PDB file of all heavy atoms in Angstrom:
ATOM      1  N   ALA A 352      14.274  56.595 -35.431  1.00 95.00           N
ATOM      2  CA  ALA A 352      15.639  56.692 -35.977  1.00 95.00           C
ATOM      3  C   ALA A 352      16.576  57.246 -34.913  1.00 95.00           C
ATOM      4  O   ALA A 352      17.690  56.718 -34.730  1.00 95.00           O
ATOM      5  CB  ALA A 352      15.630  57.589 -37.210  1.00 95.00           C
ATOM      6  N   LEU A 353      16.118  58.266 -34.191  1.00 96.00           N
ATOM      7  CA  LEU A 353      16.966  58.858 -33.153  1.00 96.00           C
ATOM      8  C   LEU A 353      17.205  57.872 -32.014  1.00 96.00           C
ATOM      9  O   LEU A 353      18.322  57.747 -31.510  1.00 96.00           O
ATOM     10  CB  LEU A 353      16.323  60.137 -32.608  1.00 96.00           C
ATOM     11  CG  LEU A 353      16.369  61.359 -33.541  1.00 96.00           C
ATOM     12  CD1 LEU A 353      15.558  62.499 -32.960  1.00 96.00           C
ATOM     13  CD2 LEU A 353      17.814  61.803 -33.761  1.00 96.00           C
ATOM     14  N   THR A 354      16.154  57.161 -31.605  1.00 95.00           N
ATOM     15  CA  THR A 354      16.278  56.221 -30.478  1.00 95.00           C
ATOM     16  C   THR A 354      17.278  55.111 -30.804  1.00 95.00           C
ATOM     17  O   THR A 354      18.254  54.893 -30.085  1.00 95.00           O
ATOM     18  CB  THR A 354      14.904  55.580 -30.161  1.00 95.00           C
ATOM     19  OG1 THR A 354      13.963  56.623 -30.008  1.00 95.00           O
ATOM     20  CG2 THR A 354      14.944  54.738 -28.916  1.00 95.00           C
ATOM     21  N   PHE A 355      16.995  54.408 -31.907  1.00 95.00           N
ATOM     22  CA  PHE A 355      17.844  53.256 -32.211  1.00 95.00           C
ATOM     23  C   PHE A 355      19.208  53.699 -32.753  1.00 95.00           C
ATOM     24  O   PHE A 355      20.209  53.028 -32.518  1.00 95.00           O
ATOM     25  CB  PHE A 355      17.116  52.294 -33.156  1.00 95.00           C
ATOM     26  CG  PHE A 355      16.059  51.533 -32.432  1.00 95.00           C
ATOM     27  CD1 PHE A 355      14.731  51.927 -32.485  1.00 95.00           C
ATOM     28  CD2 PHE A 355      16.385  50.440 -31.637  1.00 95.00           C
ATOM     29  CE1 PHE A 355      13.744  51.248 -31.783  1.00 95.00           C
ATOM     30  CE2 PHE A 355      15.401  49.752 -30.937  1.00 95.00           C
ATOM     31  CZ  PHE A 355      14.080  50.162 -31.006  1.00 95.00           C
ATOM     32  N   GLY A 356      19.233  54.833 -33.448  1.00 94.00           N
ATOM     33  CA  GLY A 356      20.512  55.362 -33.937  1.00 94.00           C
ATOM     34  C   GLY A 356      21.422  55.709 -32.770  1.00 94.00           C
ATOM     35  O   GLY A 356      22.600  55.321 -32.749  1.00 94.00           O
ATOM     36  N   ALA A 357      20.875  56.412 -31.782  1.00 94.00           N
ATOM     37  CA  ALA A 357      21.678  56.835 -30.626  1.00 94.00           C
ATOM     38  C   ALA A 357      22.139  55.611 -29.828  1.00 94.00           C
ATOM     39  O   ALA A 357      23.297  55.541 -29.385  1.00 94.00           O
ATOM     40  CB  ALA A 357      20.866  57.766 -29.742  1.00 94.00           C
ATOM     41  N   THR A 358      21.229  54.651 -29.656  1.00 94.00           N
ATOM     42  CA  THR A 358      21.583  53.451 -28.886  1.00 94.00           C
ATOM     43  C   THR A 358      22.681  52.660 -29.602  1.00 94.00           C
ATOM     44  O   THR A 358      23.666  52.239 -28.988  1.00 94.00           O
ATOM     45  CB  THR A 358      20.342  52.554 -28.684  1.00 94.00           C
ATOM     46  OG1 THR A 358      19.298  53.364 -28.183  1.00 94.00           O
ATOM     47  CG2 THR A 358      20.593  51.428 -27.722  1.00 94.00           C
ATOM     48  N   TRP A 359      22.493  52.482 -30.917  1.00 93.00           N
ATOM     49  CA  TRP A 359      23.491  51.736 -31.677  1.00 93.00           C
ATOM     50  C   TRP A 359      24.840  52.459 -31.640  1.00 93.00           C
ATOM     51  O   TRP A 359      25.883  51.842 -31.435  1.00 93.00           O
ATOM     52  CB  TRP A 359      23.019  51.569 -33.129  1.00 93.00           C
ATOM     53  CG  TRP A 359      24.062  50.928 -33.993  1.00 93.00           C
ATOM     54  CD1 TRP A 359      24.380  49.610 -34.054  1.00 93.00           C
ATOM     55  CD2 TRP A 359      24.957  51.606 -34.870  1.00 93.00           C
ATOM     56  NE1 TRP A 359      25.422  49.400 -34.931  1.00 93.00           N
ATOM     57  CE2 TRP A 359      25.795  50.617 -35.442  1.00 93.00           C
ATOM     58  CE3 TRP A 359      25.135  52.934 -35.227  1.00 93.00           C
ATOM     59  CZ2 TRP A 359      26.800  50.935 -36.360  1.00 93.00           C
ATOM     60  CZ3 TRP A 359      26.124  53.254 -36.145  1.00 93.00           C
ATOM     61  CH2 TRP A 359      26.949  52.252 -36.700  1.00 93.00           C
ATOM     62  N   TRP A 360      24.786  53.798 -31.784  1.00 93.00           N
ATOM     63  CA  TRP A 360      26.039  54.566 -31.771  1.00 93.00           C
ATOM     64  C   TRP A 360      26.753  54.382 -30.419  1.00 93.00           C
ATOM     65  O   TRP A 360      27.966  54.148 -30.374  1.00 93.00           O
ATOM     66  CB  TRP A 360      25.727  56.050 -32.015  1.00 93.00           C
ATOM     67  CG  TRP A 360      26.935  56.916 -31.797  1.00 93.00           C
ATOM     68  CD1 TRP A 360      27.954  57.146 -32.667  1.00 93.00           C
ATOM     69  CD2 TRP A 360      27.252  57.630 -30.589  1.00 93.00           C
ATOM     70  NE1 TRP A 360      28.890  57.960 -32.093  1.00 93.00           N
ATOM     71  CE2 TRP A 360      28.491  58.277 -30.814  1.00 93.00           C
ATOM     72  CE3 TRP A 360      26.627  57.776 -29.358  1.00 93.00           C
ATOM     73  CZ2 TRP A 360      29.097  59.064 -29.843  1.00 93.00           C
ATOM     74  CZ3 TRP A 360      27.220  58.564 -28.394  1.00 93.00           C
ATOM     75  CH2 TRP A 360      28.457  59.199 -28.633  1.00 93.00           C
ATOM     76  N   ALA A 361      25.982  54.470 -29.313  1.00 92.00           N
ATOM     77  CA  ALA A 361      26.590  54.353 -27.978  1.00 92.00           C
ATOM     78  C   ALA A 361      27.166  52.963 -27.767  1.00 92.00           C
ATOM     79  O   ALA A 361      28.283  52.814 -27.240  1.00 92.00           O
ATOM     80  CB  ALA A 361      25.536  54.658 -26.914  1.00 92.00           C
ATOM     81  N   LEU A 362      26.416  51.947 -28.197  1.00 91.00           N
ATOM     82  CA  LEU A 362      26.908  50.571 -28.038  1.00 91.00           C
ATOM     83  C   LEU A 362      28.179  50.364 -28.861  1.00 91.00           C
ATOM     84  O   LEU A 362      29.151  49.758 -28.398  1.00 91.00           O
ATOM     85  CB  LEU A 362      25.831  49.566 -28.475  1.00 91.00           C
ATOM     86  CG  LEU A 362      24.592  49.454 -27.580  1.00 91.00           C
ATOM     87  CD1 LEU A 362      23.518  48.607 -28.255  1.00 91.00           C
ATOM     88  CD2 LEU A 362      24.952  48.843 -26.232  1.00 91.00           C
ATOM     89  N   ASP A 363      28.159  50.864 -30.080  1.00 90.00           N
ATOM     90  CA  ASP A 363      29.305  50.705 -30.972  1.00 90.00           C
ATOM     91  C   ASP A 363      30.517  51.488 -30.454  1.00 90.00           C
ATOM     92  O   ASP A 363      31.648  51.000 -30.487  1.00 90.00           O
ATOM     93  CB  ASP A 363      28.896  51.188 -32.370  1.00 90.00           C
ATOM     94  CG  ASP A 363      29.912  50.788 -33.415  1.00 90.00           C
ATOM     95  OD1 ASP A 363      30.159  49.568 -33.544  1.00 90.00           O
ATOM     96  OD2 ASP A 363      30.481  51.687 -34.076  1.00 90.00           O
ATOM     97  N   TRP A 364      30.248  52.683 -29.969  1.00 89.00           N
ATOM     98  CA  TRP A 364      31.316  53.551 -29.444  1.00 89.00           C
ATOM     99  C   TRP A 364      32.022  52.897 -28.262  1.00 89.00           C
ATOM    100  O   TRP A 364      33.247  52.967 -28.131  1.00 89.00           O
ATOM    101  CB  TRP A 364      30.676  54.883 -29.040  1.00 89.00           C
ATOM    102  CG  TRP A 364      31.605  55.880 -28.429  1.00 89.00           C
ATOM    103  CD1 TRP A 364      32.437  56.731 -29.076  1.00 89.00           C
ATOM    104  CD2 TRP A 364      31.781  56.134 -27.030  1.00 89.00           C
ATOM    105  NE1 TRP A 364      33.116  57.513 -28.190  1.00 89.00           N
ATOM    106  CE2 TRP A 364      32.731  57.158 -26.912  1.00 89.00           C
ATOM    107  CE3 TRP A 364      31.225  55.594 -25.861  1.00 89.00           C
ATOM    108  CZ2 TRP A 364      33.134  57.670 -25.678  1.00 89.00           C
ATOM    109  CZ3 TRP A 364      31.623  56.093 -24.642  1.00 89.00           C
ATOM    110  CH2 TRP A 364      32.582  57.121 -24.555  1.00 89.00           C
ATOM    111  N   SER A 365      31.241  52.222 -27.415  1.00 88.00           N
ATOM    112  CA  SER A 365      31.829  51.654 -26.202  1.00 88.00           C
ATOM    113  C   SER A 365      32.490  50.300 -26.449  1.00 88.00           C
ATOM    114  O   SER A 365      32.999  49.671 -25.523  1.00 88.00           O
ATOM    115  CB  SER A 365      30.765  51.523 -25.113  1.00 88.00           C
ATOM    116  OG  SER A 365      29.729  50.707 -25.589  1.00 88.00           O
ATOM    117  N   LEU A 366      32.435  49.805 -27.708  1.00 85.00           N
ATOM    118  CA  LEU A 366      33.127  48.540 -28.009  1.00 85.00           C
ATOM    119  C   LEU A 366      34.635  48.690 -27.793  1.00 85.00           C
ATOM    120  O   LEU A 366      35.323  47.725 -27.468  1.00 85.00           O
ATOM    121  CB  LEU A 366      32.856  48.121 -29.461  1.00 85.00           C
ATOM    122  CG  LEU A 366      31.505  47.472 -29.726  1.00 85.00           C
ATOM    123  CD1 LEU A 366      31.337  47.180 -31.204  1.00 85.00           C
ATOM    124  CD2 LEU A 366      31.355  46.178 -28.922  1.00 85.00           C
ATOM    125  N   ASP A 367      35.089  49.915 -27.976  1.00 82.00           N
ATOM    126  CA  ASP A 367      36.501  50.194 -27.740  1.00 82.00           C
ATOM    127  C   ASP A 367      36.720  50.193 -26.221  1.00 82.00           C
ATOM    128  O   ASP A 367      36.315  51.132 -25.525  1.00 82.00           O
ATOM    129  CB  ASP A 367      36.825  51.564 -28.354  1.00 82.00           C
ATOM    130  CG  ASP A 367      38.302  51.898 -28.218  1.00 82.00           C
ATOM    131  OD1 ASP A 367      39.028  51.094 -27.589  1.00 82.00           O
ATOM    132  OD2 ASP A 367      38.707  52.958 -28.740  1.00 82.00           O
ATOM    133  N   ARG A 368      37.344  49.139 -25.721  1.00 79.00           N
ATOM    134  CA  ARG A 368      37.499  48.962 -24.268  1.00 79.00           C
ATOM    135  C   ARG A 368      38.330  50.083 -23.643  1.00 79.00           C
ATOM    136  O   ARG A 368      38.230  50.343 -22.442  1.00 79.00           O
ATOM    137  CB  ARG A 368      38.157  47.617 -23.946  1.00 79.00           C
ATOM    138  CG  ARG A 368      37.358  46.416 -24.405  1.00 79.00           C
ATOM    139  CD  ARG A 368      36.080  46.248 -23.598  1.00 79.00           C
ATOM    140  NE  ARG A 368      35.214  45.243 -24.171  1.00 79.00           N
ATOM    141  CZ  ARG A 368      33.907  45.170 -23.973  1.00 79.00           C
ATOM    142  NH1 ARG A 368      33.307  46.063 -23.245  1.00 79.00           N
ATOM    143  NH2 ARG A 368      33.184  44.219 -24.499  1.00 79.00           N
ATOM    144  N   ALA A 369      39.116  50.714 -24.490  1.00 79.00           N
ATOM    145  CA  ALA A 369      39.986  51.771 -23.975  1.00 79.00           C
ATOM    146  C   ALA A 369      39.166  52.940 -23.407  1.00 79.00           C
ATOM    147  O   ALA A 369      39.646  53.714 -22.587  1.00 79.00           O
ATOM    148  CB  ALA A 369      40.898  52.268 -25.087  1.00 79.00           C
ATOM    149  N   ARG A 370      37.921  53.050 -23.851  1.00 81.00           N
ATOM    150  CA  ARG A 370      37.090  54.157 -23.358  1.00 81.00           C
ATOM    151  C   ARG A 370      36.578  53.898 -21.944  1.00 81.00           C
ATOM    152  O   ARG A 370      35.973  54.773 -21.340  1.00 81.00           O
ATOM    153  CB  ARG A 370      35.912  54.376 -24.298  1.00 81.00           C
ATOM    154  CG  ARG A 370      36.331  54.763 -25.714  1.00 81.00           C
ATOM    155  CD  ARG A 370      35.089  55.081 -26.545  1.00 81.00           C
ATOM    156  NE  ARG A 370      35.327  54.946 -27.968  1.00 81.00           N
ATOM    157  CZ  ARG A 370      35.824  55.888 -28.748  1.00 81.00           C
ATOM    158  NH1 ARG A 370      36.142  57.045 -28.236  1.00 81.00           N
ATOM    159  NH2 ARG A 370      36.002  55.670 -30.035  1.00 81.00           N
ATOM    160  N   GLY A 371      36.730  52.663 -21.491  1.00 83.00           N
ATOM    161  CA  GLY A 371      36.381  52.359 -20.103  1.00 83.00           C
ATOM    162  C   GLY A 371      34.893  52.136 -19.860  1.00 83.00           C
ATOM    163  O   GLY A 371      34.414  52.244 -18.738  1.00 83.00           O
ATOM    164  N   PHE A 372      34.144  51.829 -20.906  1.00 85.00           N
ATOM    165  CA  PHE A 372      32.711  51.559 -20.750  1.00 85.00           C
ATOM    166  C   PHE A 372      32.420  50.084 -21.022  1.00 85.00           C
ATOM    167  O   PHE A 372      33.066  49.481 -21.883  1.00 85.00           O
ATOM    168  CB  PHE A 372      31.907  52.401 -21.735  1.00 85.00           C
ATOM    169  CG  PHE A 372      31.623  53.798 -21.264  1.00 85.00           C
ATOM    170  CD1 PHE A 372      32.605  54.791 -21.339  1.00 85.00           C
ATOM    171  CD2 PHE A 372      30.399  54.127 -20.716  1.00 85.00           C
ATOM    172  CE1 PHE A 372      32.348  56.064 -20.902  1.00 85.00           C
ATOM    173  CE2 PHE A 372      30.150  55.408 -20.282  1.00 85.00           C
ATOM    174  CZ  PHE A 372      31.111  56.391 -20.365  1.00 85.00           C
ATOM    175  N   GLN A 373      31.507  49.551 -20.279  1.00 84.00           N
ATOM    176  CA  GLN A 373      31.080  48.173 -20.542  1.00 84.00           C
ATOM    177  C   GLN A 373      30.026  48.202 -21.647  1.00 84.00           C
ATOM    178  O   GLN A 373      29.237  49.147 -21.719  1.00 84.00           O
ATOM    179  CB  GLN A 373      30.472  47.567 -19.288  1.00 84.00           C
ATOM    180  CG  GLN A 373      31.518  47.139 -18.273  1.00 84.00           C
ATOM    181  CD  GLN A 373      30.871  46.390 -17.133  1.00 84.00           C
ATOM    182  OE1 GLN A 373      29.934  46.896 -16.523  1.00 84.00           O
ATOM    183  NE2 GLN A 373      31.373  45.208 -16.847  1.00 84.00           N
ATOM    184  N   SER A 374      30.012  47.147 -22.467  1.00 83.00           N
ATOM    185  CA  SER A 374      29.029  47.132 -23.557  1.00 83.00           C
ATOM    186  C   SER A 374      28.706  45.697 -23.936  1.00 83.00           C
ATOM    187  O   SER A 374      29.229  44.748 -23.343  1.00 83.00           O
ATOM    188  CB  SER A 374      29.588  47.888 -24.755  1.00 83.00           C
ATOM    189  OG  SER A 374      28.689  47.819 -25.827  1.00 83.00           O
ATOM    190  N   LEU A 375      27.855  45.532 -24.934  1.00 86.00           N
ATOM    191  CA  LEU A 375      27.606  44.199 -25.494  1.00 86.00           C
ATOM    192  C   LEU A 375      28.834  43.781 -26.298  1.00 86.00           C
ATOM    193  O   LEU A 375      29.703  44.621 -26.594  1.00 86.00           O
ATOM    194  CB  LEU A 375      26.395  44.252 -26.424  1.00 86.00           C
ATOM    195  CG  LEU A 375      25.047  44.665 -25.835  1.00 86.00           C
ATOM    196  CD1 LEU A 375      24.035  44.826 -26.961  1.00 86.00           C
ATOM    197  CD2 LEU A 375      24.554  43.618 -24.848  1.00 86.00           C
ATOM    198  N   SER A 376      28.844  42.518 -26.704  1.00 88.00           N
ATOM    199  CA  SER A 376      29.931  42.093 -27.581  1.00 88.00           C
ATOM    200  C   SER A 376      29.674  42.659 -28.978  1.00 88.00           C
ATOM    201  O   SER A 376      28.551  43.078 -29.297  1.00 88.00           O
ATOM    202  CB  SER A 376      29.977  40.566 -27.634  1.00 88.00           C
ATOM    203  OG  SER A 376      28.788  40.108 -28.247  1.00 88.00           O
ATOM    204  N   ALA A 377      30.709  42.640 -29.817  1.00 88.00           N
ATOM    205  CA  ALA A 377      30.579  43.192 -31.178  1.00 88.00           C
ATOM    206  C   ALA A 377      29.488  42.458 -31.950  1.00 88.00           C
ATOM    207  O   ALA A 377      28.704  43.071 -32.682  1.00 88.00           O
ATOM    208  CB  ALA A 377      31.912  43.090 -31.895  1.00 88.00           C
ATOM    209  N   ALA A 378      29.419  41.122 -31.764  1.00 88.00           N
ATOM    210  CA  ALA A 378      28.403  40.333 -32.477  1.00 88.00           C
ATOM    211  C   ALA A 378      27.007  40.723 -32.015  1.00 88.00           C
ATOM    212  O   ALA A 378      26.068  40.841 -32.814  1.00 88.00           O
ATOM    213  CB  ALA A 378      28.639  38.847 -32.220  1.00 88.00           C
ATOM    214  N   ASP A 379      26.869  40.960 -30.693  1.00 90.00           N
ATOM    215  CA  ASP A 379      25.552  41.337 -30.159  1.00 90.00           C
ATOM    216  C   ASP A 379      25.129  42.717 -30.649  1.00 90.00           C
ATOM    217  O   ASP A 379      23.948  42.961 -30.897  1.00 90.00           O
ATOM    218  CB  ASP A 379      25.577  41.308 -28.627  1.00 90.00           C
ATOM    219  CG  ASP A 379      25.540  39.878 -28.099  1.00 90.00           C
ATOM    220  OD1 ASP A 379      25.182  38.978 -28.894  1.00 90.00           O
ATOM    221  OD2 ASP A 379      25.889  39.662 -26.917  1.00 90.00           O
ATOM    222  N   VAL A 380      26.099  43.628 -30.754  1.00 91.00           N
ATOM    223  CA  VAL A 380      25.768  44.972 -31.253  1.00 91.00           C
ATOM    224  C   VAL A 380      25.276  44.872 -32.693  1.00 91.00           C
ATOM    225  O   VAL A 380      24.276  45.493 -33.079  1.00 91.00           O
ATOM    226  CB  VAL A 380      26.997  45.912 -31.163  1.00 91.00           C
ATOM    227  CG1 VAL A 380      26.719  47.240 -31.867  1.00 91.00           C
ATOM    228  CG2 VAL A 380      27.371  46.161 -29.710  1.00 91.00           C
ATOM    229  N   SER A 381      25.984  44.037 -33.473  1.00 90.00           N
ATOM    230  CA  SER A 381      25.596  43.853 -34.874  1.00 90.00           C
ATOM    231  C   SER A 381      24.192  43.225 -34.944  1.00 90.00           C
ATOM    232  O   SER A 381      23.347  43.623 -35.749  1.00 90.00           O
ATOM    233  CB  SER A 381      26.632  42.977 -35.560  1.00 90.00           C
ATOM    234  OG  SER A 381      26.116  42.448 -36.720  1.00 90.00           O
ATOM    235  N   ASP A 382      23.970  42.237 -34.068  1.00 89.00           N
ATOM    236  CA  ASP A 382      22.668  41.564 -34.027  1.00 89.00           C
ATOM    237  C   ASP A 382      21.565  42.572 -33.656  1.00 89.00           C
ATOM    238  O   ASP A 382      20.484  42.580 -34.248  1.00 89.00           O
ATOM    239  CB  ASP A 382      22.742  40.437 -32.992  1.00 89.00           C
ATOM    240  CG  ASP A 382      21.508  39.574 -33.020  1.00 89.00           C
ATOM    241  OD1 ASP A 382      21.103  39.176 -34.139  1.00 89.00           O
ATOM    242  OD2 ASP A 382      20.925  39.331 -31.946  1.00 89.00           O
ATOM    243  N   PHE A 383      21.882  43.433 -32.680  1.00 91.00           N
ATOM    244  CA  PHE A 383      20.915  44.459 -32.248  1.00 91.00           C
ATOM    245  C   PHE A 383      20.555  45.377 -33.413  1.00 91.00           C
ATOM    246  O   PHE A 383      19.384  45.656 -33.678  1.00 91.00           O
ATOM    247  CB  PHE A 383      21.523  45.278 -31.094  1.00 91.00           C
ATOM    248  CG  PHE A 383      20.752  46.517 -30.751  1.00 91.00           C
ATOM    249  CD1 PHE A 383      19.601  46.450 -29.977  1.00 91.00           C
ATOM    250  CD2 PHE A 383      21.166  47.760 -31.214  1.00 91.00           C
ATOM    251  CE1 PHE A 383      18.880  47.597 -29.678  1.00 91.00           C
ATOM    252  CE2 PHE A 383      20.462  48.911 -30.913  1.00 91.00           C
ATOM    253  CZ  PHE A 383      19.312  48.832 -30.144  1.00 91.00           C
ATOM    254  N   ALA A 384      21.610  45.801 -34.153  1.00 92.00           N
ATOM    255  CA  ALA A 384      21.373  46.733 -35.260  1.00 92.00           C
ATOM    256  C   ALA A 384      20.541  46.079 -36.354  1.00 92.00           C
ATOM    257  O   ALA A 384      19.586  46.677 -36.869  1.00 92.00           O
ATOM    258  CB  ALA A 384      22.706  47.202 -35.818  1.00 92.00           C
ATOM    259  N   THR A 385      20.870  44.809 -36.682  1.00 91.00           N
ATOM    260  CA  THR A 385      20.128  44.110 -37.749  1.00 91.00           C
ATOM    261  C   THR A 385      18.668  43.914 -37.343  1.00 91.00           C
ATOM    262  O   THR A 385      17.753  44.174 -38.125  1.00 91.00           O
ATOM    263  CB  THR A 385      20.767  42.725 -38.027  1.00 91.00           C
ATOM    264  OG1 THR A 385      22.175  42.879 -38.067  1.00 91.00           O
ATOM    265  CG2 THR A 385      20.266  42.133 -39.307  1.00 91.00           C
ATOM    266  N   THR A 386      18.470  43.441 -36.104  1.00 91.00           N
ATOM    267  CA  THR A 386      17.104  43.179 -35.651  1.00 91.00           C
ATOM    268  C   THR A 386      16.292  44.469 -35.618  1.00 91.00           C
ATOM    269  O   THR A 386      15.150  44.504 -36.109  1.00 91.00           O
ATOM    270  CB  THR A 386      17.114  42.527 -34.242  1.00 91.00           C
ATOM    271  OG1 THR A 386      18.038  41.453 -34.256  1.00 91.00           O
ATOM    272  CG2 THR A 386      15.748  42.032 -33.845  1.00 91.00           C
ATOM    273  N   ALA A 387      16.882  45.532 -35.040  1.00 93.00           N
ATOM    274  CA  ALA A 387      16.145  46.791 -34.937  1.00 93.00           C
ATOM    275  C   ALA A 387      15.796  47.327 -36.320  1.00 93.00           C
ATOM    276  O   ALA A 387      14.644  47.711 -36.579  1.00 93.00           O
ATOM    277  CB  ALA A 387      16.970  47.821 -34.165  1.00 93.00           C
TER     278      ALA A 387
END
Side-chain angles (χ1 to χ4, degrees):
Chain A
L353 287 173
T354 308
F355 286 98
T358 310
W359 174 78
W360 171 81
L362 291 170
D363 192 58
W364 178 82
S365 59
L366 281 177
D367 183 356
R368 298 291 171 203
R370 298 185 202 274
F372 276 79
Q373 283 187 307
S374 177
L375 299 173
S376 65
D379 284 344
V380 172
S381 162
D382 188 48
F383 169 79
T385 316
T386 311

